[in-house]
Amino acid sequence: MERNEFVRRLFARAGEAGEGIASEVCYESGSSFEVSVKDGEILQYSVSDSTGLGFRVLRNGRTGTASTQILDEEAVAQLVDGALENAALVESEDEQFMFPGSPEYPKLALFSPAVEAMTAAEKIGMAKRLEQLALRQDPRIQQVEECAVFSSSDARTMTNTLGLNVSTEVNLLGGYVVVVAREGEKVNTGFKVFFTSDPAQVDLEAVAKAAAKEAIDGLDGAPVPSGRYRVLLRNDVAGNLLATFAGIFSADNAQRGLSRLKGREGERIAAECVTLMDDPHRAGSASSTPFDGEGVATRVKAVIEGGRLNTLLHNLKTARKQGVETTANAARESYASGVGVAPTNFYFAPSDTGFDDMLEQTGDGLLITDLQGMHAGANPITGDFSLAAKGFRIEGGRLTAPVNQITVAGNYYELLADIEAVGGDLDFRSPGTSCFGSPSLLVKGLSVAGA
Amino acid sequence: MMTKSTAEQVLREALRTGGDFAEIFCEDRSSGAMGLVDGRVEAANTVRRHGAGIRIYRGLNSVYVHTNDTSLAGLTAAARKAADAVEGERCVGDIHLTRQLQRNLHQIRELPMDVAGSRMAKLLRDCDLAAKAVSPEISQVRASLSHWDSEVLIANSEGLFTGDRRVYTRLFVNAVASRDGDSQSGHEAPGAMMGYELFSGRVDPGEAARSAATKAVTMLHADPCPAGVMPVVIDGGFGGVIFHEACGHSLEAAAVAFGNSEFAGKLGTQIASPIVTAVDDGTLANEWGSLNIDDEGIPTTRLVLIEDGVLRNYMVDQLNGRRMGLPSTGSGRRQDYTFAPTSRMRNTFIAPGEDDEAEIIASCPDGLYARSMGGGSVNPVTGEFNFAVEEGYLIRNGRIDAPVRGASLIGRGSEILRKIDRVGSKMWMAQGMCGAASGSIPTNVGQPMIRVTDITVGGR
């Protein structure tokens, strides 16, 4: 069935089910491309087209959702009846909402014609070049474990019976390389990924070099004695930790008692040098969007400013519960998901301090370049973490011996207060529903388990 | 769903440009989830996914295309797109498919999609009450039910045309205990490849809820785990995650075929302590990681990975099997039609040994007892792994002593395997979702109680 016709039928059937039912459709269509190479040949080549439609109803302040990937007669009944049944099962007393639309939406250029114009052959060529460059970096790089280039393009449209009608389209180009360094019995891997909306800015040499450097530098890694160390978290590692603990800034979690930031708005919760931004309008990010998962126009905001907590992140439900305005952080991971709360482009604002100055400020301690085990070794409620780590010793303000087979433990709430300095090297992780970023962060002290 | 003649036409189109093997994986999946927070249903969701993936090999290279449109026209267009990425001349003659019926190892009785929402809501409310009854310190309970029913059809250019139906049901309970601004959580997530009859005898929802709550309360009263290198006793069930992470991933053909595994080239050699035997078994009735056929249409198998410490088998899918010159072991798996399959684990466990559990603790030098494990991850190239201890206790003077929180274990798979000096006699399994190149799939981990002579324990 044609999409507009399908939506018309959904709205009509839901309308017939009773008085006072509002309904909403979130339609997504996308295409993706990925090519991986090995020894100069295509190892795997994947392309896809996908479409999906999520249906949400609101009845008596309760919402229910159902979704499908087929738009046929049977699906009309499945969606409407399923969503209504799901709404009827909801017992939570928190009132839920549907949004009629904002007066104005920001105009964002999130769809790059240059990415769209790239041919499959160009992307295959990029992947092959990246592999060659990686192998050329050092004789100890004897193998490229994975090397791929990908692109994707996604469009989302939301319409509802209250008048909402918004759409957005994003695309991106990216790639990654994993290299293996070997020297005698020693082996180590290095990984680097890139994302962009501007193919002209891709520096494959730099990507290959970063991956190779990571693999080679870590070859001689050894544990350090257990104890408490001053720690410099490299930008990517600090971004990964932020991603792991971003849930503490959700008003939804706070209202459920799952974040210690509940009721702390206006208070000092971090060191004065810390400013944390949520920027849904950041250029070139696939996590940017003019409207959130409920159709509310998005805006840029400082969540922490000078160490002070300005606001938590809200959707319509959590904002109403707390008597504030939504921050337009309603999140729907996909058309098939319900509405939650999540940041967009979420990052610590950088200073103008260079990396060498950060090392100098650290004096004696550890630079952490890799943390593993976030999904298990981190407790997002208490903020406690204990994670496998790699990095380097810092002695007299200079990097010395590589370190591995250690764990770094601490508490994220305490870490925020213990940040002594913020670097200037802001870098972002891979974009998804949210995209996390950070410069390098100097932390007063963390527990290390090693030899 | 796709007919035999549609499949034949689409496979012909796929091999137009020189592919030597083509496959269609067609899937229709309905799933449902219901979540309860603090005694009230907060959300219910139903999802229908439908689509097909077409794969072509040319030698050791592969092309994968997926689409939501499974009509003859949609599949043909996808096959054409896949074929366009292959350069060559047709090398496979006519394609004739023969329908194959599969043995059914897994009886399904009550389809969860048909179970009334109110019945599920009651089960979740009972979990909430059971957890809260454990202690007044239980401050929040989240319980959810998820289930899915997936019908798959698999056709390939070697004449295979077969199908399977997979039904899964799983309960998840997370309890938070709080005191003076501090909180700790515990969870249980029992599931099986079966319908709603899961809760008639196999899984007691109240018991799962009490166990999650007890863990949370125990950890709330625990001190931070001391850091250092020490002997560690890891209990059975989810403790098997150590083998899954530290060794299982490195025995998957996807890692071995390219030499990206510390166990590559080690078949027939001693890689573990001689008291260790490990198995990957996809045939166990209704187990979470079981199947009738894998996602390449090959009947699933029981595979001895390590026998008395000697490496016997890798887990092999078709494409990596070509690379290694080994037959498939029925280990090709994928999350759904949007992923090309690769070699993955099923129900993977260390087999029961001969040691007495009480003696394992009594003879243990001072160290750590990991009663239940959280998740973990591994770098298959280096074998470096890490995982979290959800519920841990110190061992002092041969006894289980005070509980400790925040412990994590790190090490290298090949080293840990050699350092196992006790294997208990009672084995059980627990459920997990394993994420890798072909997506997130249900797998069981398992083991009896084991003891490792020394592991680096992270703590504060």
Side-chain angles (χ1 to χ4, degrees), chain A residues 364-376:
Chain A
D364 293 317
L366 294 176
L367 170 71
I368 300 299
T369 58
D370 185 37
L371 281 179
Q372 291 292 327
M374 304 284 189
H375 67 290

Side-chain angles (χ1 to χ4, degrees), chain B residues 64-331:
Chain B
Y64 196 71
V65 171
H66 67 85
T67 177
N68 298 128
D69 185 351
T70 58
S71 66
L72 176 60
L75 290 173
T76 305
R80 189 169 301 139
K81 212 184 269 185
D84 285 346
V86 177
E87 283 171 28
E89 296 293 318
R90 184 184 287 281
C91 63
V92 175
D94 198 30
I95 289 162
H96 184 85
L97 299 179
T98 306
R99 255 180 295 236
Q100 285 186 16
L101 300 180
Q102 303 296 339
R103 70 201 160 151
N104 182 17
L105 303 171
H106 317 290
Q107 255 338 297
I108 308 291
R109 296 209 316 270
E110 278 185 276
L111 290 179
M113 288 303 290
D114 291 348
V115 173
S118 54
R119 205 170 139 209
M120 295 190 180
K122 177 169 185 316
L123 182 138
L124 294 176
R125 274 193 295 273
D126 289 346
C127 287
D128 179 82
L129 293 173
K132 283 180 176 151
V134 166
S135 160
E137 287 175 331
I138 295 296
S139 57
Q140 196 198 50
V141 180
R142 279 171 178 256
S144 61
L145 261 171
S146 63
H147 53 86
W148 70 98
D149 182 343
S150 167
E151 272 190 76
V152 303
L153 277 181
I154 304 166
N156 73 32
S157 56
E158 288 167 358
L160 178 76
F161 187 65
T162 191
D164 197 10
R165 182 167 185 179
R166 293 100 179 240
V167 176
Y168 297 87
T169 305
R170 194 181 193 194
L171 172 70
F172 185 90
V173 186
N174 185 75
V176 180
S178 305
R179 183 180 62 152
D180 304 334
D182 183 20
S183 30
Q184 288 289 312
S185 58
H187 88 284
E188 288 290 343
M193 189 202 217
M194 63 187 344
Y196 205 72
E197 71 274 14
L198 176 69
F199 303 112
S200 312
R202 187 172 172 123
V203 167
D204 176 348
E207 188 49 45
R210 280 187 290 278
S211 168
T214 305
K215 278 184 204 171
V217 172
T218 304
M219 286 301 103
L220 185 65
H221 296 270
D223 289 327
C225 182
V229 178
M230 59 188 85
V232 178
V233 173
I234 303 165
D235 214 339
F238 204 73
V241 72
I242 187 173
F243 184 80
H244 174 103
E245 296 295 352
C247 311
H249 282 294
S250 303
L251 297 177
E252 292 169 342
V256 180
F258 297 102
N260 294 333
S261 162
E262 56 177 345
F263 300 121
K266 298 265 173 79
L267 281 181
T269 64
Q270 189 88 28
I271 63 163
S273 156
I275 56 174
V276 174
T277 290
V279 174
D280 177 69
D281 190 345
T283 65
L284 300 168
N286 294 100
E287 282 300 338
W288 183 241
S290 294
L291 291 166
N292 285 312
I293 51 171
D294 74 358
D295 294 327
E296 299 182 301
I298 296 169
T300 192
T301 57
R302 179 180 201 273
L303 196 62
V304 174
L305 301 173
I306 297 171
E307 187 179 20
D308 301 330
V310 176
L311 179 60
R312 291 296 178 206
N313 283 293
Y314 299 119
M315 293 167 273
V316 186
D317 62 296
Q318 288 189 82
L319 182 58
N320 288 304
R322 276 190 179 199
R323 293 186 175 118
M324 297 164 73
L326 290 173
S328 162
T329 54
S331 303

